[in-house]
Amino acid sequence: DAKTTQPNSMESNEEEPVHLPCNHSTISGTDYIHWYRQLPSQGPEYVIHGLTSNVNNRMASLAIAEDRKSSTLILHRATLRDAAVYYCILRDRAGGTSYGKLTFGQGTILTVHP
Amino acid sequence: DSGVTQTPKHLITATGQRVTLRCSPRSGDLSVYWYQQSLDQGLQFLIQYYNGEERAKGNILERFSAQQFPDLHSELNLSSLELGDSALYFCASSPSGKGGPGEKLFFGSGTQLSVL
């Protein structure tokens, strides 16, 4: 699986936007960019995914660079409940030999201050 | 609530023992995945089953084994336990396990295993 690089930690204040970066310079043309997050004492949960275009859902927005070598997860108004570890993961569109599994890196620990 | 149920939530045992962790996937999901999370290794993929058959294997020790039953629930068996096996074990499920671009994994809340 292609590798992603994320900052170890970031901090934000409540109700402010948060931009979580992810570098994936070796991304292939068939890789989708997925984001999951893991709240304290819980299993990871899906946040958002995209291929080339920016994506929005009720949880967050995903901004993908034109060359696809980086992406940014945007939380528009951070809440205390958004404090979690955020994982940026590349997944091959065709599945291939990795099938459905996800390969997690170290992620970014997001701290949200009241 | 992800719809994935893991039991037990906590398990305390001694070195050399054997334990079984159980996972019930979301209704209709055919694939089950097992992950191990420790402080030093992060989230490590162990094994995937699809409709009763092993589909993919990760860093799973020979002392560990898993299976998926006809009703699609899965069990992870850990034997000859060592102190280093203490970790959080997560189960996840997905509809097909073919890894299509939009296919999401849904994780349970995990089983915390402590080997003393």
Side-chain angles (χ1 to χ4, degrees):
Chain A
D1 294 324
K3 185 176 169 57
T4 63
T5 304
Q6 300 177 251
N8 289 333
S9 62
M10 292 186 66
E11 296 187 19
S12 174
N13 294 317
E14 201 174 9
E15 297 190 5
E16 290 184 356
V18 181
H19 290 234
L20 297 164
C22 180
N23 287 319
H24 28 78
S25 59
T26 60
I27 190 169
S28 75
T30 56
D31 282 338
Y32 274 73
I33 302 158
H34 286 248
W35 284 81
Y36 280 70
R37 72 179 185 180
Q38 186 174 16
L39 302 172
S41 303
Q42 294 188 29
E45 64 175 350
Y46 168 84
V47 178
I48 200 167
H49 77 280
L51 182 63
T52 56
S53 305
N54 294 345
V55 184
N56 300 295
N57 67 20
R58 64 174 181 80
M59 290 182 70
S61 295
L62 176 60
I64 301 172
E66 197 169 333
D67 64 4
R68 301 207 328 123
K69 293 184 186 300
S70 66
S71 61
T72 303
L73 180 70
I74 303 166
L75 307 179
H76 295 285
R77 289 186 66 196
T79 68
L80 297 179
R81 198 190 171 280
D82 291 322
V85 181
Y86 287 79
Y87 298 97
C88 170
I89 302 164
L90 300 183
R91 182 195 240 175
D92 188 277
R93 174 170 55 190
T97 56
S98 65
Y99 296 102
K101 74 175 177 68
L102 296 172
T103 301
F104 289 83
Q106 294 303 309
T108 297
I109 301 171
L110 175 65
T111 301
V112 180
H113 300 288
Chain B
D1 181 9
S2 67
V4 178
T5 303
Q6 289 188 247
T7 56
K9 291 193 183 306
H10 303 277
L11 198 49
I12 302 174
T13 188
T15 55
Q17 295 299 305
R18 172 189 169 96
V19 296
T20 297
L21 313 183
R22 182 188 169 98
C23 170
S24 295
R26 289 189 328 151
S27 177
D29 283 358
L30 297 177
S31 258
V32 169
Y33 312 75
W34 286 97
Y35 284 80
Q36 179 191 57
Q37 186 171 36
S38 58
L39 285 174
D40 56 343
Q41 294 291 322
L43 265 164
Q44 297 287 313
F45 168 72
L46 296 178
I47 198 163
Q48 176 194 359
Y49 276 80
Y50 170 73
N51 205 20
E53 295 190 2
E54 182 182 304
R55 170 68 60 94
K57 217 167 187 177
N59 301 322
I60 187 166
L61 299 172
E62 283 191 12
R63 299 183 286 108
F64 296 180
S65 65
Q67 54 185 327
Q68 186 179 27
F69 295 86
D71 67 352
L72 300 178
H73 90 271
S74 177
E75 293 181 355
L76 179 67
N77 300 297
L78 316 176
S79 62
S80 303
L81 285 167
E82 303 175 359
L83 295 178
D85 298 327
S86 296
L88 251 177
Y89 291 84
F90 288 106
C91 167
S93 73
S94 68
S96 77
K98 294 181 181 176
E103 185 171 73
K104 306 169 191 173
L105 265 61
F106 296 86
F107 285 79
S109 298
T111 294
Q112 177 68 61
L113 174 65
S114 299
V115 183
L116 306 178

